[in-house]
């Protein structure tokens, strides 16, 4: 995937090993992101059976993404052009600067885009319980 920045996160299963000629990653811990450029030819070997993963791919000439795993403590996100929040476990509340709150449950996604009325400043992701896990990407457009 030339020109693409990738982030992959193990959601379920025993894990996998990613290998290339000059790089490798052992993915055996749930919810730990691994970042790598899409130009790298990757071989994947499963540890013990199937896995489920979250795979974020961003064209680097279009946008940059900052990736955060939210657990236990609420996180206030940096201002962004767009935000994606995938809830892997439990539920989280997405709280806008206006105070509007949206609850996002497990295996669901919330997407926010900056527009004339909402610039996605001070969006807060708050886990509802101690076991909740959310994968959050904030995107910033590349301007020419």
């Amino acid at each position: 995937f030339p020109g693409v920045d990738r982030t992959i996160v193990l959601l379920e299963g025993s894990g996998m090993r990613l290998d290339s000629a000059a790089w490798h990653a052992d993915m055996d811990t749930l919810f730990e992101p691994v970042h790598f450029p899409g130009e790298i030819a990757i071989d994947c070997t499963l540890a013990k059976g199937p896995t489920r993963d979250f795979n974020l791919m961003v064209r680097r000439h279009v946008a940059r993404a900052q990736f955060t795993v939210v657990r236990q403590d609420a996180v206030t996100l940096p201002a962004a052009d767009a935000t994606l929040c995938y809830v892997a476990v439990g539920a989280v509340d997405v709280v806008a600067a206006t105070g509007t709150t949206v609850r996002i449950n497990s295996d669901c996604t919330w997407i926010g885009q900056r527009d004339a009325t909402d610039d996605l400043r001070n969006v807060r992701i708050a886990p509802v319980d101690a076991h909740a896990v959310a994968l959050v990407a904030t995107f910033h457009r590349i301007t020419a």
Side-chain angles (χ1 to χ4, degrees), residues 44-132:
C44 177
T45 306
L46 298 178
K48 293 179 186 173
T51 64
R52 188 167 77 102
D53 63 79
F54 177 90
N55 190 5
L56 178 69
M57 301 171 76
V58 180
R59 292 188 189 280
R60 71 178 67 97
H61 73 278
V62 175
R64 297 277 186 261
Q66 180 178 342
F67 194 84
T68 305
V69 178
V70 178
R71 303 178 196 215
Q72 296 179 341
D73 297 323
V75 172
T76 300
L77 303 174
D81 293 311
T83 299
L84 178 142
C85 175
Y86 171 74
V87 180
V89 177
V92 301
D93 287 337
V94 177
V95 184
T98 61
T100 304
T101 301
V102 177
R103 178 150 300 167
I104 309 301
N105 294 307
S106 182
D107 211 22
C108 292
T109 303
W110 174 87
I111 298 171
Q113 271 187 256
R114 184 172 71 175
D115 61 22
T117 61
D118 181 11
D119 64 355
L120 291 180
R121 290 178 192 247
N122 300 317
V123 172
R124 200 167 135 256
I125 309 295
V128 173
D129 60 49
H131 303 315

Side-chain angles (χ1 to χ4, degrees), residues 126-138:
V128 173
D129 60 49
H131 303 315
V133 179
L135 309 178
V136 180
T138 53

